[in-house]
Amino acid sequence: MKQTEVLLQPNPNARIEEFVYEKLDRKAPSRVNNPELLGQYMIDAGTEFGPGTAYGNALIKCGETQKRIGTADRELIQTSALNFLTPLRNFIEGDYKTIAKERKLLQNKRLDLDAAKTRLKKAKAAETRNSQLNSARLEGDNIMIWAEEVTKSEQELRITQSEFDRQAEITRLLLEGISSTHAHHLRCLNDFVEAQMTYYAQCYQYMLDLQKQLGSFPSNYLCNNNQTAVTPAPSVLPNAIGSSSMAPTSGLVITSPSNLNDLKECSGSRKARVLYDYDAANSTELSLLADEVITVFSVVGMDSDWLMGERGNQKGKVPITYLELLN
């Protein structure tokens, strides 16, 4: 339970604050979480750079996505606390404490019962020894004393046995309820897993949408981490884009809107290198592996952000922003 709280709220100060408010039976104030805070800073920075600039616009888009992730994170915490943590805490602080208390009481009753059995056994043994003595005086006095001790021990044993049986029945009934408690906690665990599944699916979709939005920017803004060879100097880059005298980089040309448009307007095919791994969303698309070379060509009526890709006998749509055309 504690580790789940750490997972949902890593900040120990925030956990202490929530605990205090819970004990005071008051609602904790709403706090901005880390993704929301990062998102707001990104949006502010993007606004200062200017929404009309590529970098400023990208910062704003990233900030909006971070804020959506923050909202999803807040929903995960609320859902998990309601459906998983609260039932678990109620059991640990309620039924579990009662069961532990009754089990401890049963243990004490068992010790009392063992002690009563031991006293009765000793009393009977002493009575037997004294009955075997030949002295009439001892038989008249000590045997009567030990007979009374045996009777007293037997009565005490009956009482302790009755108390032990009663406590054992109470404990047994409480422990029998554990099976239904486990079934309830299993449902709560399923709810927790579903909440996590929904959260990660939302985050994945948000980042996928963001990646597609960033992919609409010119590729010379996006390929910094993929330029493994010599990068053209800044003074050469404006002339290289859209011209036939492109500076070669190990036989590769950075994909730009102009040469992509040329490819879509012509009816021929070109070779292209894949920049990133891509998992096909459906059967009409083609999955890609980074650094592989495929054949691409345009199809009339296809969305402007897509080309038709071909690898051997496999064929399907591929996103333009994942490609780098070869000379």
Side-chain angles (χ1 to χ4, degrees):
M1 183 185 72
K2 294 296 183 183
Q3 202 57 41
T4 305
E5 293 174 346
V6 171
L7 172 68
L8 297 177
Q9 178 51 267
N11 188 338
N13 294 329
R15 291 200 303 275
I16 294 175
E17 182 186 55
E18 292 172 358
F19 175 78
V20 172
Y21 274 100
E22 182 180 352
K23 291 301 180 183
L24 296 176
D25 198 19
R26 295 175 58 186
K27 183 178 180 181
S30 179
R31 304 289 187 188
V32 177
N33 56 33
N34 289 332
E36 290 174 332
L37 189 62
L38 173 61
Q40 189 58 54
Y41 273 100
M42 282 185 164
I43 292 175
D44 293 343
T47 302
E48 290 184 11
F49 278 108
T53 64
Y55 183 49
N57 192 8
L59 277 174
I60 292 175
K61 292 181 182 298
C62 289
E64 292 171 347
T65 300
Q66 291 295 331
K67 295 186 77 170
R68 283 196 289 269
I69 290 177
T71 302
D73 185 69
R74 192 184 301 277
E75 293 174 354
L76 171 65
I77 293 175
Q78 293 174 350
T79 303
S80 300
L82 179 64
N83 296 336
F84 182 66
L85 273 179
T86 300
L88 191 60
R89 184 183 294 110
N90 290 340
F91 171 74
I92 291 175
E93 297 179 354
D95 294 347
Y96 179 77
K97 285 187 175 181
T98 302
I99 292 173
K101 177 183 176 182
E102 296 298 334
R103 288 187 64 182
K104 184 177 181 180
L105 188 57
L106 177 64
Q107 179 73 3
N108 293 334
K109 296 295 183 183
R110 187 189 66 78
L111 294 175
D112 292 342
L113 179 61
D114 291 343
K117 288 179 178 180
T118 301
R119 281 194 294 269
L120 178 60
K121 183 178 179 181
K122 288 181 178 180
K124 285 185 175 180
E127 183 185 30
T128 301
R129 285 195 304 269
N130 281 278
S131 66
Q132 295 173 352
L133 296 177
N134 296 325
S135 173
R137 184 179 62 81
L138 288 175
E139 289 180 357
D141 296 335
N142 287 353
I143 290 179
M144 185 178 296
I145 293 175
W146 284 112
E148 291 177 356
E149 183 67 24
V150 168
T151 303
K152 182 180 177 181
S153 297
E154 288 177 343
Q155 183 179 4
E156 183 182 357
L157 178 60
R158 285 193 295 270
I159 294 174
T160 54
Q161 182 70 58
S162 175
E163 291 178 350
F164 173 80
D165 293 342
R166 176 178 173 275
Q167 187 60 38
E169 181 65 16
I170 293 174
T171 306
R172 183 184 65 81
L173 292 175
L174 288 173
L175 292 176
E176 283 180 350
I178 290 293
S179 58
S180 61
T181 301
H182 283 176
H184 175 61
H185 287 173
L186 179 59
R187 291 192 296 270
C188 295
L189 184 60
N190 285 331
D191 292 340
F192 178 56
V193 172
E194 288 182 4
Q196 283 187 303
M197 182 178 66
T198 300
Y199 167 73
Y200 289 119
Q202 286 179 327
C203 292
Y204 174 77
Q205 188 59 50
Y206 292 154
M207 299 310 295
L208 194 63
D209 294 341
L210 176 62
Q211 186 184 46
K212 291 181 179 179
Q213 292 177 17
L214 295 180
S216 64
F217 290 97
S219 60
N220 56 300
Y221 291 112
L222 304 175
C223 298
N224 293 337
N225 61 337
N226 291 284
Q227 296 176 4
T228 56
V230 178
T231 305
S235 60
V236 178
L237 186 59
N239 296 327
I241 297 178
S243 68
S244 58
S245 58
M246 290 182 167
T249 306
S250 299
L252 302 180
V253 177
I254 295 180
T255 308
S256 65
S258 58
N259 54 31
L260 287 174
N261 290 333
D262 293 341
L263 176 60
K264 294 185 71 67
E265 291 173 0
C266 72
S267 58
S269 61
R270 292 278 298 275
K271 293 290 185 181
R273 184 175 71 88
V274 178
L275 297 175
Y276 323 101
D277 290 346
Y278 177 76
D279 293 328
N282 51 56
S283 59
T284 65
E285 299 179 7
L286 181 66
S287 295
L288 304 174
L289 294 175
D291 295 326
E292 71 171 329
V293 176
I294 63 172
T295 302
V296 293
F297 54 92
S298 61
V299 175
V300 178
M302 182 177 291
D303 190 284
S304 60
D305 294 330
W306 297 81
L307 288 172
M308 186 60 69
E310 189 173 24
R311 184 203 305 113
N313 296 328
Q314 297 178 323
K315 185 184 297 185
K317 295 192 302 181
V318 293
I320 287 179
T321 53
Y322 282 66
L323 304 174
E324 186 175 51
L325 294 181
L326 304 180
N327 278 338

